[in-house]
């Protein structure tokens, strides 16, 4: 079975990759696949995935998942709401959200 993703990385002009027949350009001509080029492309793809793994670990499929942005902002607002000094320091942020909360109270 061919590594389609690595083939497309190694041969950007490949528009068709088929396990049975190989890889082909848009004009239908067959691409001669060189395994060392495919292996090098796989190494690059794996390194690229590892470089951004922290993002997925913290958002969708990892154990350290952040709360939604809205929930984080709500926590921040409540922390400011509980501290008079922070209310002064972050007055524009606090007051703009407070106006929305006051206009739309929880049922």
């Amino acid at each position: 079975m061919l590594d389609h993703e690595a083939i497309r990385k190694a041969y950007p002009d490949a528009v068709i990759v088929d396990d049975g027949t190989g890889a082909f350009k848009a004009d239908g001509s067959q691409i001669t696949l060189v395994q060392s080029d495919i292996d090098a492309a796989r190494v690059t793809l794996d390194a690229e995935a590892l470089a951004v793994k922290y993002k997925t670990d913290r958002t969708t499929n990892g154990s350290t998942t952040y709360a939604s942005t809205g929930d984080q902002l709500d926590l921040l607002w409540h922390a400011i709401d509980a501290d008079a000094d922070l209310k002064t320091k972050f007055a524009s942020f606090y007051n703009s959200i407070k106006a929305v909360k006051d206009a739309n109270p929880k049922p």
Side-chain angles (χ1 to χ4, degrees):
M1 181 172 252
L2 298 175
D3 184 344
H4 292 226
E5 186 181 21
I7 289 170
R8 291 183 193 283
K9 178 78 170 176
Y11 303 96
D13 55 345
V15 295
I16 297 172
V17 180
D18 181 80
D19 288 337
T21 57
F24 299 87
K25 297 179 183 180
D27 65 4
S29 61
Q30 188 164 14
I31 298 170
T32 301
L33 300 176
V34 178
Q35 189 61 49
S36 60
D37 293 341
I38 298 167
D39 293 343
R42 171 50 51 206
V43 168
T44 299
L45 288 167
D46 290 347
E48 290 170 351
L50 185 60
V52 296
K53 184 178 181 308
Y54 72 93
K55 290 181 183 178
T56 56
D57 283 353
R58 288 167 175 77
T59 55
T60 55
N61 60 1
S63 59
T64 307
T65 305
Y66 287 114
S68 71
T69 302
D71 288 345
Q72 291 180 53
L73 287 171
D74 192 52
L75 289 168
L76 177 60
W77 186 86
H78 284 290
I80 295 169
D81 188 46
D83 186 310
D85 186 44
L86 291 178
K87 283 182 189 177
T88 302
K89 288 181 180 179
F90 299 103
S92 61
F93 172 81
Y94 175 79
N95 291 330
S96 66
I97 294 176
K98 182 165 180 15
V100 173
K101 286 183 174 283
D102 290 346
N104 301 283
K106 289 185 179 178

